[in-house]
Amino acid sequence: MIQCHKNFQSSSLASTQKYCGRLVEAQLPASFCQRRLPRRCELSVQALDKSAKRVKYSQPGGQTRGEPLFIQVEPDGSDAWRLDVVIEGLKAGNVGILPTDTYPALVCDIDNRQAVEKLYTIKGLSPKKQLSILCRHLQDISTYTMGFPASNRAGQIDTFRVARQVLPGPYTFILTASKQLPKQCTDYQSGKSKQRKSVGVRIPDDAVLQAVLSQLDRPLLCTSAHVEELEQLEIPEAAMFVDQYAGQGLDFIVDTGQRVAEGSTVIDMTGPEPSLVRLGKGDPSLFVEEEP
C-alpha cells in the first residue's frame, strides 16, 4: 500500500480514503510540513464513483482491481506537483489520459514496449495502426524523424522556419521517420525491425502536458481519446472516459475541467509538397500553398 505523507491534514486523508479506497503518496517540499495546507493545495485524487463500471489500476509490480486515478489540476499547470504520481506511473508502464491543446490524448511511455501494447489493447487498435508522438521540443522531432523538408524551389514555404514560429501549437506533422524510432512504434506485436516510413509528431501548447513531458524527460506515444457517442466539440467529463474504456486497464485521468476543443490540423510533409490531411484548429495556409 502506498503511504500518504504524514503531515497531510486528517480531513484530507480521510477524504482520500473515502473516495479512493486507498492511500496516495504526495511528495511535498519540506516547507509544506511547517504549516497547514491551504484548501487549494490539497491533493485532489479521486476515484470516479460516477461510473458503475470498474477498470484495472496498474501499480509497479502487478495489477489490482480498481478504478483509474483521477487527478484534477489547474489548466495553467500552477499545481503541477500533483502530477508526481502520474510521472511515476508512466515510468512504471501505466497508460492514461492527458489534456492537450486539442482533444485529450491516451498516452504511454514511448520506450516501454509493454505499455505500448497496453495502449493498443485499451483503444482496441490493430498492432499495425500508426500512432503519434507527443514531443517536448523540436529536438525530439529531429530525433525521431528526418526533420522538416528543405525548400527546393524559389518561393516555396520554409516549413521549418514557420514551425518554429507556431510551435507549440495545434498541429500534427507527418514526417519521414528516422532509425531512432522505437521498434514498438512500428509493430509492437511482431517485433519486426522493419523501418517505418513516416510518423506523426506534435508539440501541443498545453501547460499540464508540457509539465508531464518535462518531468518524464522523454516523449510520449499517443492516440486521441474520445467518447464515440459524443458529437459536440466540448470535451466530455472524465467519468465518460471511464465508461468508454471500462475494463480495459486505464490507469489514470488528468482533468483540467471541461472546455471546447477541436482536432489538430494534420499536414503531411513526406511528399514533394506539404499537403493537408485534416483541417483542424491550426491554420493550414501557413504550410500548404493554395492551388492556383
Side-chain angles (χ1 to χ4, degrees):
M1 179 180 291
I2 305 174
Q3 294 299 319
C4 185
H5 195 282
K6 64 182 180 180
N7 287 298
F8 251 48
Q9 296 179 57
S10 59
S11 61
S12 178
L13 177 57
S15 176
T16 303
Q17 289 174 312
K18 176 181 178 181
Y19 289 102
C20 295
R22 58 182 178 276
L23 300 181
V24 179
E25 179 182 18
Q27 300 292 339
L28 299 178
S31 59
F32 274 78
C33 302
Q34 309 299 323
R35 56 186 175 85
R36 178 181 176 86
L37 290 175
R39 181 180 179 85
R40 68 187 300 271
C41 292
E42 292 179 1
L43 185 63
S44 176
V45 180
Q46 306 172 30
L48 293 174
D49 291 332
K50 297 179 182 179
S51 172
K53 300 179 181 178
R54 296 284 179 177
V55 296
K56 295 180 180 179
Y57 172 64
S58 175
Q59 292 179 332
Q63 289 186 335
T64 60
R65 296 295 297 178
E67 293 181 338
L69 287 177
F70 176 62
I71 301 104
Q72 189 168 19
V73 297
E74 295 295 329
D76 61 2
S78 57
D79 52 357
W81 59 270
R82 299 183 181 186
L83 299 170
D84 288 349
V85 65
V86 173
I87 306 302
E88 294 306 313
L90 286 169
K91 291 178 180 178
N94 285 358
V95 175
I97 294 176
L98 290 175
T100 76
D101 55 351
T102 56
Y103 293 127
L106 191 65
V107 305
C108 72
D109 183 354
I110 192 173
D111 292 324
N112 189 317
R113 184 183 181 85
Q114 291 183 337
V116 173
E117 181 176 356
K118 184 176 179 179
L119 185 151
Y120 273 80
T121 300
I122 291 175
K123 191 69 181 290
L125 300 174
S126 164
K128 297 184 182 298
K129 171 69 175 179
Q130 297 185 359
L131 303 185
S132 299
I133 301 175
L134 296 175
C135 301
R136 298 165 292 175
H137 38 56
L138 288 169
Q139 185 176 347
D140 283 340
I141 293 180
S142 66
T143 297
Y144 295 107
T145 76
M146 301 303 292
F148 291 86
S151 302
N152 53 25
R153 60 175 174 78
Q156 187 176 19
I157 296 175
D158 186 339
T159 56
F160 177 68
R161 180 183 62 81
V162 177
R164 290 181 61 184
Q165 295 175 348
V166 301
L167 295 178
Y171 294 91
T172 298
F173 299 109
I174 301 176
L175 300 172
T176 302
S178 72
K179 294 181 179 180
Q180 300 300 316
L181 190 68
K183 294 179 181 178
Q184 58 265 21
C185 296
T186 304
D187 185 346
Y188 75 83
Q189 196 171 59
S190 69
K192 296 179 181 179
S193 58
K194 182 180 179 180
Q195 180 73 17
R196 178 170 165 180
K197 294 182 180 181
S198 63
V199 62
V201 292
R202 289 210 62 204
I203 305 181
D205 186 17
D206 184 272
V208 174
L209 176 61
Q210 286 298 331
V212 172
L213 291 171
S214 177
Q215 293 183 54
L216 188 64
D217 200 28
R218 54 182 174 272
L220 291 167
L221 193 66
C222 81
T223 181
S224 62
H226 66 281
V227 176
E228 294 176 351
E229 64 270 20
L230 196 69
E231 298 180 356
Q232 59 193 28
L233 291 178
E234 183 175 303
I235 295 176
E237 293 183 357
M240 298 184 70
F241 284 126
V242 175
D243 290 332
Q244 179 75 16
Y245 301 110
Q248 302 301 317
L250 188 69
D251 296 307
F252 65 83
I253 299 172
V254 175
D255 179 54
T256 57
Q258 283 192 301
R259 49 181 162 169
V260 176
E262 57 185 306
S264 64
T265 293
V266 181
I267 299 176
D268 188 347
M269 295 190 177
T270 60
E273 299 281 345
S275 61
L276 178 63
V277 177
R278 182 185 72 193
L279 178 61
K281 190 175 180 180
D283 181 4
S285 67
L286 298 176
F287 297 92
V288 180
E289 297 180 0
E290 296 184 1
E291 297 182 2

